[in-house]
């Protein structure tokens, strides 16, 4: 077996890697010449200029030996440099070895022996920058995410000297991927509890909703038009009138009133926010929505669900722990949940996917500012009187027509979510926005041409919804479970509160405890915190409410120097106290929220 095949075998045996050996060369092409007596590797560039890679470490930029980190290491041309840097890192740190230059990747696979890295915790990425977002997100879906609070970047001698511009593209994508992961983690405990209050108060309304599982693929082949409120909608809104009963129109809550005012009646209005939607878009307005169905998770305001007078479709939220818990309690099937992303347009997309609609057509989905930065939404919406809050982080992305357009962090995250679900489902999605940001994976076409091509037959959308059977739920069993669960949470709160008092006592009398009882006694007491820490992932609702704060707490633990000092133990104690305060308060609050908001009259 030659060295190339041996190296590929080593990488394949270690798991997650991404090597694109066939990609187009967009960087400097280097040809290996040889290695001199001092171990310096020499290459020719395309103009026959000599290029050297010394393999010497940058002693001014080394990881912390006492911290577990994720280390993005750029350059594979000298494995010795990787090993030398790794000797300065914590043994549990993860190295993400990135080689942006295809010719250097080919050199490494043909000339370096990857067996030298056998004692290193590493993965390899060697593909174009745009692919690293999904790669980092895949890593972040495991415990590796706990290492990402302070990512460390190291550049080998080649990239330090001459090709930093290429490296910058990767760094931008990596930071964006990590930021996007934080965005998806969830809300604060306060926001999550507001959602739980609404979920509990809306449970009785499930009796009015068609069983979403029954609706799966019920509109297969029907074109679905998802209408958002981007500024580009102003130039093609009138074409939507031509759809009539030959397609499904799903409007986000922001734009529904404007559509009706223009003679366009959406079959469905989508909503997803837990607060303010009722006040902004529906309260004190004529019932423009009376002909539409509301599709929303049960976490929206009860006033909003009540306003639709039984014309509601209430799916569970796919891959969200609170709804996994709720579905299990209610005895619902997995098909009662749909993908919802993080916006009203996302839930509209998820609902269209669930119905089997095709193609799915995006309209008004700019996800970018208009030519004027003050232009955030189409005219005639609530944002005319209440402009969108100014965003601190503004960035530039590729526009619909290949130009550069400005967007903000929230819209960029929304765009990434669209791109991810399109990639995963392989569904046909047409972007007929005719403006805004380009959404990868979509086909771009003018709205009038899309309507002419796909709206060719009448479809009775409302009869599908009206004839679908409602959810069937055994409320007696649900009530029994809720009573038992409340008692369980109250017990956890009481027990963790008693443990918290012991931890605070040690913290308040640290020197006394160290001197009288010793470090082992302190350690044994602190170890009991694990009881509460470990029970969180086993309880889907508790995990949902604590997920975001728990990630922050866990990352704080990972940042404690692993040096065995009393100071590190003291810092661990401080973080444990922070955790136990959060745990005991949250378990008590969840119990109270369920007790006060569950519809006990269903029992």
């Amino acid at each position: 077996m030659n060295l190339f095949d041996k190296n590929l075998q080593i990488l394949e045996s270690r798991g997650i890697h991404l090597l694109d050996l066939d990609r187009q060369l967009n960087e400097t092409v280097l040809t290996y010449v040889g290695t001199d007596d001092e171990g310096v590797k020499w290459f020719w560039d395309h103009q026959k200029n000599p290029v050297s890679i010394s393999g010497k470490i940058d002693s001014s930029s080394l990881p912390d030996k006492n911290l577990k980190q994720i280390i993005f290491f750029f350059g594979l041309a000298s494995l010795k440099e990787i090993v030398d840097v790794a000797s300065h890192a914590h043994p549990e740190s993860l190295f993400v070895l990135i080689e942006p230059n295809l010719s250097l990747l080919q050199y490494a696979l043909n000339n370096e022996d990857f067996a030298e890295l056998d004692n290193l915790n590493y993965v390899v990425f060697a593909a174009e920058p745009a692919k690293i977002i999904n790669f980092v997100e895949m890593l972040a879906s495991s415990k590796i995410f706990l290492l990402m609070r302070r990512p460390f970047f190291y550049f080998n001698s080649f990239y330090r000297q001459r090709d930093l511009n290429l490296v910058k593209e990767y760094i931008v994508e990596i930071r964006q991927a990590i930021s996007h992961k934080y965005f998806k983690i969830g809300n604060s405990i306060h926001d999550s509890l507001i959602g739980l209050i609404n979920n509990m108060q809306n449970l009785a309304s499930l009796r009015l909703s068609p069983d979403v599982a029954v609706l799966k693929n019920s509109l297969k082949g029907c074109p679905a038009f998802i209408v958002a409120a981007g500024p580009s909608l102003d130039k093609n809104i009138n074409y939507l009138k031509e759809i009539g009963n030959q397609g499904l129109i799903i409007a986000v809550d922001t734009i529904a009133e404007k559509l009706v005012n223009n003679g366009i009646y959406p079959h469905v209005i989508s909503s997803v926010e837990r607060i303010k939607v009722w006040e902004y878009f529906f309260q004190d307005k004529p019932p423009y929505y009376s002909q539409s169905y509301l599709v929303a998770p049960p976490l929206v305001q009860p006033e909003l669900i009540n306003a639709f007078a039984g014309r509601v479709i209430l799916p569970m939220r796919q891959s969200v722990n609170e709804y996994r818990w709720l579905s299990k309690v209610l005895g619902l099937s997995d098909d009662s949940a749909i993908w919802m992303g993080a916006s009203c347009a996302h839930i509209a997309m998820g609902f269209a996917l669930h119905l089997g609609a095709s193609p799915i057509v995006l309209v008004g989905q700019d996800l970018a500012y208009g030519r004027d930065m003050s232009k955030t939404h189409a005219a005639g919406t609530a944002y005319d009187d209440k402009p969108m809050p100014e965003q601190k982080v503004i960035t530039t992305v590729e526009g619909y027509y290949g130009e550069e357009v400005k967007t903000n962090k929230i819209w960029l995250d929304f765009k990434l979510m669209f791109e991810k679900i399109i990639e995963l489902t392989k569904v046909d999605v047409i972007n007929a926005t005719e403006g805004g940001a380009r959404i990868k994976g979509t086909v771009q076409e003018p709205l009038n041409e899309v309507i002419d091509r796909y709206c060719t037959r009448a479809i009775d959308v409302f009869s599908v919804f009206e004839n679908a059977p409602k959810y069937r739920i055994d409320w007696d069993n649900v009530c029994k479970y809720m009573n038992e669960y409340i008692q369980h949470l109250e017990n956890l709160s009481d027990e963790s509160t008693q443990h918290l008092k012991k931890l605070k006592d040690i913290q308040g009398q640290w020197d006394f405890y160290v001197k009288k009882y010793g470090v082992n006694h302190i350690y044994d007491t602190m170890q009991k915190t694990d009881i509460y820490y470990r029970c969180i992932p086993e309880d889907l609702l508790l995990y949902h409410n604590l997920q975001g704060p728990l990630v922050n707490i866990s990352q704080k633990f990972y940042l404690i120097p692993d040096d065995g000092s009393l100071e590190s133990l003291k810092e661990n104690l401080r973080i444990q106290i922070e955790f136990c305060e959060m745990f005991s308060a949250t378990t008590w609050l969840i119990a109270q929220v369920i007790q006060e908001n569950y519809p006990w009259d269903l029992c």
Side-chain angles (χ1 to χ4, degrees):
M1 182 183 296
N2 61 33
L3 189 56
F4 181 88
D5 291 335
K6 178 187 172 187
N7 283 332
L8 284 183
Q9 189 178 69
I10 289 172
L11 294 180
E12 288 171 4
S13 69
R14 293 182 65 93
I16 302 173
H17 298 285
L18 180 56
L19 304 180
D20 186 354
L21 298 172
D22 300 318
R23 74 181 190 269
Q24 186 175 354
L25 279 167
N26 295 316
E27 64 276 347
T28 304
V29 178
L30 298 171
T31 303
Y32 179 57
V33 177
T35 304
D36 64 24
D37 293 340
E38 295 181 359
V40 177
K41 299 171 177 63
W42 289 93
F43 299 81
W44 293 120
D45 67 14
H46 64 289
Q47 295 179 332
K48 291 296 182 180
N49 296 315
V51 176
S52 65
I53 300 179
S54 70
K56 292 182 179 178
I57 66 173
D58 179 6
S59 57
S60 67
S61 178
L62 291 172
D64 190 328
K65 199 177 188 69
N66 293 318
L67 292 181
K68 302 170 188 174
Q69 297 174 285
I70 187 166
I71 299 166
F72 294 96
F73 188 109
F74 286 86
L76 286 174
S78 174
L79 300 192
K80 181 181 181 302
E81 185 172 1
I82 297 172
V83 172
D84 289 345
V85 171
S87 69
H88 294 270
H90 192 286
E92 293 183 39
S93 289
L94 174 70
F95 278 74
V96 180
L97 306 179
I98 303 171
E99 183 48 78
N101 188 296
L102 182 55
S103 54
L104 289 179
L105 170 64
Q106 292 168 336
Y107 158 78
L109 291 172
N110 281 289
N111 296 277
E112 298 281 318
D113 187 354
F114 278 73
E116 293 180 30
L117 304 181
D118 279 352
N119 295 322
L120 185 66
N121 184 22
Y122 75 93
V123 296
V124 175
F125 178 89
E128 60 190 33
K131 293 184 178 179
I132 202 166
I133 287 185
N134 286 343
F135 189 76
V136 172
E137 281 202 6
M138 179 172 57
L139 295 177
S141 64
S142 67
K143 288 184 177 180
I144 293 170
F145 182 57
L146 299 176
L147 304 175
M148 292 184 178
R149 189 178 181 91
R150 292 182 186 174
F152 186 86
F153 295 89
Y154 181 93
F155 314 104
N156 77 354
S157 57
F158 172 75
Y159 291 106
R160 291 198 300 271
Q161 293 168 9
R162 53 183 296 137
D163 224 350
L164 272 177
N165 283 333
L166 180 58
V167 167
K168 286 177 183 176
E169 293 182 50
Y170 288 85
I171 294 174
V172 168
E173 300 288 344
I174 290 167
R175 292 195 183 280
Q176 184 175 303
I178 294 174
S179 174
H180 184 55
K181 178 63 179 180
Y182 274 102
F183 175 79
K184 293 199 299 183
I185 282 175
N187 302 287
S188 67
I189 294 173
H190 175 263
D191 285 348
S192 294
L193 288 173
I194 292 174
L196 181 59
I197 290 170
N198 290 351
N199 275 315
M200 291 294 106
Q201 292 183 357
N202 288 327
L203 284 180
S205 295
L206 288 174
R207 297 174 299 174
L208 307 174
S209 171
D211 185 340
V212 174
V214 176
L215 293 177
K216 188 169 185 178
N217 293 324
S218 58
L219 287 175
K220 203 160 189 176
C222 171
F225 295 81
I226 296 171
V227 187
S232 293
L233 182 64
D234 289 333
K235 62 187 177 187
N236 61 11
I237 185 173
N238 288 328
Y239 290 122
L240 293 171
K241 295 177 185 177
E242 300 173 12
I243 297 171
N245 66 346
Q246 298 177 49
L248 169 68
I249 300 177
I250 309 176
V252 303
D253 50 23
T254 316
I255 203 63
E257 184 178 14
K258 173 169 177 149
L259 293 185
V260 173
N261 290 340
N262 281 270
I264 302 155
Y265 296 91
H267 299 92
V268 174
I269 297 172
S270 63
S271 193
V272 74
E273 294 293 340
R274 58 181 60 79
I275 58 172
K276 299 299 183 184
V277 170
W278 166 250
E279 292 86 347
Y280 284 175
F281 307 127
F282 298 94
Q283 190 177 29
D284 300 327
K285 293 179 181 289
Y288 63 85
Y289 44 85
S290 60
Q291 296 183 39
S292 303
Y293 269 78
L294 171 72
V295 61
L299 67 72
V300 298
Q301 292 166 280
E303 296 91 339
L304 179 57
I305 290 176
N306 294 337
F308 278 78
R311 294 172 69 85
V312 294
I313 301 171
L314 303 175
M316 300 295 108
R317 196 167 188 167
Q318 198 175 78
S319 302
V320 173
N321 284 323
E322 181 172 19
Y323 288 98
R324 290 171 61 201
W325 170 79
L326 192 56
S327 294
K328 185 176 179 181
V329 172
L330 298 174
L332 304 181
S333 74
D334 290 344
D335 285 338
S336 295
I338 68 172
W339 178 79
M340 295 190 187
S343 74
C344 295
H346 288 155
I347 187 177
M349 172 85 162
F351 189 53
L353 284 168
H354 187 78
L355 295 173
S358 179
I360 295 173
V361 186
L362 305 180
V363 185
Q365 195 62 61
D366 289 66
L367 297 173
Y369 295 94
R371 291 183 181 178
D372 180 352
M373 284 281 289
S374 65
K375 190 74 171 172
T376 61
H377 292 77
T381 71
Y383 289 97
D384 290 349
D385 301 321
K386 194 176 180 66
M388 181 178 176
E390 186 176 344
Q391 301 295 304
K392 293 181 181 179
V393 180
I394 304 296
T395 188
T396 300
V397 296
E398 183 184 5
Y400 190 90
Y401 296 106
E403 79 286 25
E404 288 190 343
V405 295
K406 291 183 178 179
T407 187
N408 58 53
K409 184 180 180 300
I410 295 174
W411 288 339
L412 183 58
D413 281 322
F414 289 172
K415 184 174 96 79
L416 290 172
M417 287 187 175
F418 268 123
E419 292 169 350
K420 186 74 172 178
I421 194 66
I422 292 169
E423 181 185 5
L424 287 173
T425 59
K426 309 298 182 187
V427 70
D428 292 329
V429 180
I430 298 171
N431 189 354
T433 297
E434 301 180 60
R438 180 181 292 274
I439 299 174
K440 295 174 187 175
T442 64
V443 174
Q444 297 185 168
E445 238 182 289
L447 179 58
N448 61 323
E449 294 181 14
V450 175
I451 294 171
D452 288 344
R453 181 182 304 177
Y454 294 102
C455 295
T456 57
R457 64 186 178 93
I459 302 167
D460 191 350
V461 170
F462 287 131
S463 69
V464 172
F465 299 158
E466 290 163 0
N467 294 329
K470 306 293 193 262
Y471 283 118
R472 296 183 65 182
I473 297 167
D474 185 339
W475 292 106
D476 287 338
N477 277 344
V478 176
C479 292
K480 180 174 181 292
Y481 172 86
M482 290 297 184
N483 275 312
E484 292 173 353
Y485 186 61
I486 289 169
Q487 187 60 57
H488 166 68
L489 291 175
E490 289 177 344
N491 289 342
L492 279 179
S493 180
D494 290 343
E495 292 165 10
S496 59
T497 298
Q498 293 303 313
H499 178 62
L500 175 61
K501 289 178 181 177
K502 294 177 182 177
L503 295 180
K504 285 186 172 181
D505 194 41
I506 292 172
Q507 184 186 49
Q509 303 181 72
W510 177 261
D511 291 338
F512 170 77
Y513 271 87
V514 170
K515 186 175 180 179
K516 183 171 183 178
Y517 298 107
V519 172
N520 286 341
H521 172 82
I522 295 173
Y523 181 79
D524 289 343
T525 304
M526 291 171 61
Q527 215 171 17
K528 292 174 184 175
T529 302
D530 287 350
I531 297 171
Y532 309 106
Y533 194 83
R534 289 172 181 164
C535 80
I536 293 174
E538 298 170 0
D539 185 318
L540 291 172
L541 182 60
L542 196 54
Y543 189 43
H544 173 81
N545 282 272
L546 290 174
Q547 183 177 349
L550 186 62
V551 166
N552 290 327
I553 291 281
S554 299
Q555 289 181 329
K556 287 179 182 180
F557 280 126
Y558 266 70
L559 289 174
I560 297 173
D562 194 7
D563 55 10
S565 68
L566 278 178
E567 282 304 309
S568 292
L569 184 63
K570 199 172 184 179
E571 176 63 7
N572 191 302
L573 174 63
R574 186 191 67 77
I575 299 170
Q576 283 197 26
I577 289 172
E578 181 182 344
F579 165 76
C580 288
E581 287 175 335
M582 176 184 72
F583 182 89
S584 61
T586 303
T587 47
W588 183 84
L589 284 168
I590 293 174
Q592 300 312 303
V593 164
I594 296 173
Q595 181 67 58
E596 294 173 12
N597 295 281
Y598 180 79
W600 296 106
D601 57 337
L602 294 178
C603 300

